[in-house]
Amino acid sequence: MAETIIVCKLCGKRRAKRACPAVKGEICAICCGEQREVTLFCPLDCDFLREAHKHEKTLLVPVEKISNPTVEVTEEFIRSREELLLFCVYSLVQAALRTPHAVDLDVLESIEALIQTRRTAESGLIYETRAANAVAASIQQKFSESLTSYEEERKEREPLSRNADSDVFKILVFLHRIGQQNLNGRLKGRMFIGMLRGMTPDTGVDERAPSIIL
């Protein structure tokens, strides 16, 4: 009996060797490598995507392009604000996962808008900078709502804390820098989102209270 050969669903020429959840069919290794996170919106659970993220080179970030270079965020600061950082990581990744078709660039744009909003507030003006594209704006809104709730709860616990706003601002800058350093350059790249997701013990989208580890 002749062997049944399954042809790649994308190119229609080569032999399919990989199950692709993005196209809900079989594709060849070449199309997987070329179209992954370029024309295909790849689920983060895909084993081939996870493996690719482990070995892909990230884009180099020129010194002059580093997010808010005048803002000093030391290792000591990050260690001393671990609870805040972990909450932000959890809330940000959940906001991204709950927003259809969100990619790394959308996440970075949402963080950048929040940074600008808080920088403006420091000057005494109340003006919310909104991300330009709808996907990034959706992430920003979800993340901002979670962050506002956390800050209100924190103020009740630490009413005398004078640096709360500054702490959040620096954590946002830190996350933006981490995001810049974890881009793979693909149009639909989600290496940064995948990295954040890997920091949480429960990688699913749920409504449970934050419980995360690094």
Side-chain angles (χ1 to χ4, degrees):
M1 182 179 293
E3 179 184 5
T4 301
I5 297 178
I6 301 176
V7 178
C8 173
K9 191 173 181 179
L10 290 178
C11 67
K13 300 176 181 179
R14 292 179 287 269
R15 184 171 183 172
K17 295 184 178 181
R18 298 180 177 181
C20 176
V23 301
K24 296 180 174 58
E26 304 287 323
I27 64 175
C28 65
I30 293 178
C31 282
C32 178
E34 292 179 347
Q35 304 306 320
R36 180 177 61 246
E37 295 189 318
V38 177
T39 62
L40 300 178
F41 187 82
C42 304
L44 292 175
D45 287 330
C46 176
D47 291 335
F48 297 108
L49 179 67
R50 287 180 174 180
E51 192 63 25
H53 282 174
K54 291 179 183 178
H55 304 288
E56 280 183 320
K57 292 183 178 180
T58 56
L59 298 178
L60 294 178
V61 184
V63 176
E64 64 274 13
K65 295 294 184 179
I66 293 177
S67 178
N68 296 272
T70 60
V71 179
E72 183 180 19
V73 184
T74 65
E75 182 176 349
E76 181 181 359
F77 169 82
I78 293 300
R79 291 185 180 279
S80 67
R81 303 300 188 278
E82 185 178 39
E83 177 190 315
L84 175 59
L85 172 62
L86 296 180
F87 183 89
C88 287
V89 168
Y90 179 89
S91 298
L92 182 59
V93 73
Q94 291 295 307
L97 293 177
R98 290 193 179 97
T99 304
H101 308 298
V103 299
D104 288 344
L105 292 179
D106 297 317
V107 175
L108 284 180
E109 185 176 342
S110 70
I111 300 174
E112 187 174 4
L114 286 171
I115 290 174
Q116 186 57 46
T117 295
R118 288 176 180 268
R119 184 182 288 279
T120 301
E122 287 183 353
S123 67
L125 299 176
I126 304 300
Y127 177 79
E128 181 182 18
T129 300
R130 298 288 292 174
N133 82 77
V135 175
S138 179
I139 297 172
Q140 178 186 352
Q141 180 177 353
K142 294 181 179 71
F143 181 33
S144 182
E145 288 174 353
S146 295
L147 195 53
T148 297
S149 296
Y150 173 82
E151 289 181 284
E152 291 175 351
E153 188 274 336
R154 183 184 178 187
K155 288 179 180 178
E156 291 181 1
R157 287 189 288 121
E158 307 171 27
L160 299 180
S161 178
R162 298 181 179 179
N163 300 317
D165 292 339
S166 176
D167 290 351
V168 173
F169 177 74
K170 288 184 178 181
I171 290 296
L172 291 174
V173 170
F174 176 74
L175 287 174
H176 196 268
R177 290 174 182 173
I178 294 298
Q180 287 182 308
Q181 296 167 15
N182 284 276
L183 298 178
N184 58 13
R186 292 176 179 254
L187 183 63
K188 299 182 180 181
R190 296 202 295 164
M191 179 183 286
F192 179 41
I193 296 175
M195 184 198 74
L196 293 178
R197 191 187 189 202
M199 292 181 179
T200 64
D202 184 352
T203 56
V205 177
D206 58 57
E207 301 296 333
R208 292 180 296 177
S211 174
I212 46 185
I213 57 175
L214 278 175

